[in-house]
Amino acid sequence: MSNRVYIFDTTLRDGEQSPGVSLNVKEKLEIARQLARLGVDIIEAGFPITSPGDFEAVKTIAREVRGVTVAGLARTNFTDIDKAWEAVRHADQPRIHTFIATSDIHLKHKLRLSRDQVVEAAVAGVKRAKSYTRDVEFSAEDASRSDPDFLCRVLEAAIEAGATTINVPDTVGYATPDEFAEFIKYIMNRVKGIEKVVLSVHCHDDLGMAVANSLAAILAGARQVEGAINGIGERAGNASIEEIVMALYTRRDRYGLETGINTEEIYRTSKLVSKLTGMDIQPNKAVVGKNAFAHESGIHQDGVLKERTTYEIMNPTMVGIAHSNLVLGKHSGRHAFRSRLVELGYSLSEDELNKAFARFKDLADRKKEITDQDLEAIVENEIRKVPATYELSYLHISSGTTVVPTATVGLTRGEELLEEAACGNGPVDAICKAVDKITGYSCRLVSWGINAITGGKDALGEVTLRIAENNKERLYMGRGISTDILEASARAYINAVNKMIYEQKNPDM
Ligand code: KIV
Ligand code: ZN
């Protein structure tokens, strides 16, 4: 059996099914490019039949991201499969991923099909996909709760029809590691032809066991593992790719297996996914959490200073977390600023660099030390954003326990300065209302949250919020940073409004 484990990334499909997440084509393409840099083997770019936006995203990724397999998801009906093919056909290595549920509970309540009908649909779907491409993945949805003998019958039929990868999902995160390993072994011993295909697993995290189940399945013989960056996905999410990869690497003494992942790209990928989805990473998240390499107790700090391996099983640089933390201050010049950005892996255009430098100077006046995280936040949140119709010129707030919160906002649109004032239930509400008066849009603030980027009283606050136009469902996520949380809120709100305007003007972006 091969010692190579294929990494199938479904951040852009299952991950995007996380509540509140909605990525546009440009954002999906940016994530896909980073996934290719990370070295995943397969990018599941979306579910093309579900919306024109999803179709467009899969098609764009297939055309533009080379050197990696691009998969599109489809149910077993021909309309889904034809659409998936249309979307992935221009990929370097296109894959159609087709699925149908196999558990009795799904057959009875959802599909209302007999077992024979499910076998028939699976075979027809795989054959249709096979008529387009040699690379066909078949998934038995809710496999872990299916009758094992019936599941084996479906899988055998799918292999006979031409599937080249067979995926066994724990769709509802019900399995336990020991049980799932036995299940995989059973399938490997029972299903005729299984040795000719790649056996894959796809675990959800409802009981917090997605990574453990995936690793147990790998030990039992699975050679493709599906998951999402930061473990995002339906409900409690999917298995976290970075945790699986680092477990395989750190414990290679035990697993003896390899992936094609460039682990030094993990941290950057995780940050990008978090930024574009608006899903914060919990501080104690394994591998990529803010605290994953922080040592609080004196005994631990002392140990790590004497010898890092006393309390660190992974070197943070292995996952791409930069060494140095303290960098620039208000006297730092443009040259030092540019060099540090290059060291952090950014190559900005002259125009972007000018904007970033101006923001840096502005921050350095208010904050003594500018760290790598601050610089990353400036570039990721302020510079690499959609073209801005409106930019914040100034903000004035009047608020307190005995006054009606009022905001006066100045925005520029090109050369023009537009000003409005509004009252609200609180200062953030007042800011949003004043911005709406200027833009002419009427938006709901669906969520608002703040994180400190670094420690200390002068820490940069990063506000992440989501808005929707009144009476519409589509959510737009915005981020803004400042040492002042109201200014950060204003910047985040304007960022979200700019995204909305840009998407409405460019529906195919
Ligand atoms: O969880 C699941 O079963 C899925 C399939 C479509 C693979 O996402
Ligand atoms: Zn899933």
Side-chain angles (χ1 to χ4, degrees), residues 441-444 467-474 500 504:
Y441 285 91
S442 171
C443 299
R444 301 189 314 275
I467 63 166
E469 249 187 296
N470 279 341
N471 308 322
K472 291 200 183 158
E473 294 276 303
R474 172 83 171 98
M500 184 176 77
Q504 289 177 0

Side-chain angles (χ1 to χ4, degrees), residues 74-89:
R75 287 164 296 191
T76 48
N77 67 71
F78 291 1
T79 322
D80 273 37
I81 291 172
D82 296 353
K83 198 80 181 164
W85 174 242
E86 218 182 309
V88 297
R89 61 184 303 168

Side-chain angles (χ1 to χ4, degrees), residues 13-14 202 204 238:
R13 199 277 299 168
D14 216 324
H202 172 114
H204 278 269
N238 284 77

Side-chain angles (χ1 to χ4, degrees), residues 6 40 97 101 126 150 178 201 219 222 232 236 241 293-294 304 309 312 360 363 369 396 421 451 455 463:
Y6 295 100
V40 305
H97 176 194
V126 171
F150 175 60
D178 53 327
V201 289
L219 275 179
I232 64 172
I241 295 258
F293 296 97
V304 169
T309 54
E312 265 181 16
F360 159 72
L363 280 175
E369 291 159 348
H396 180 85
N451 272 320
V463 167

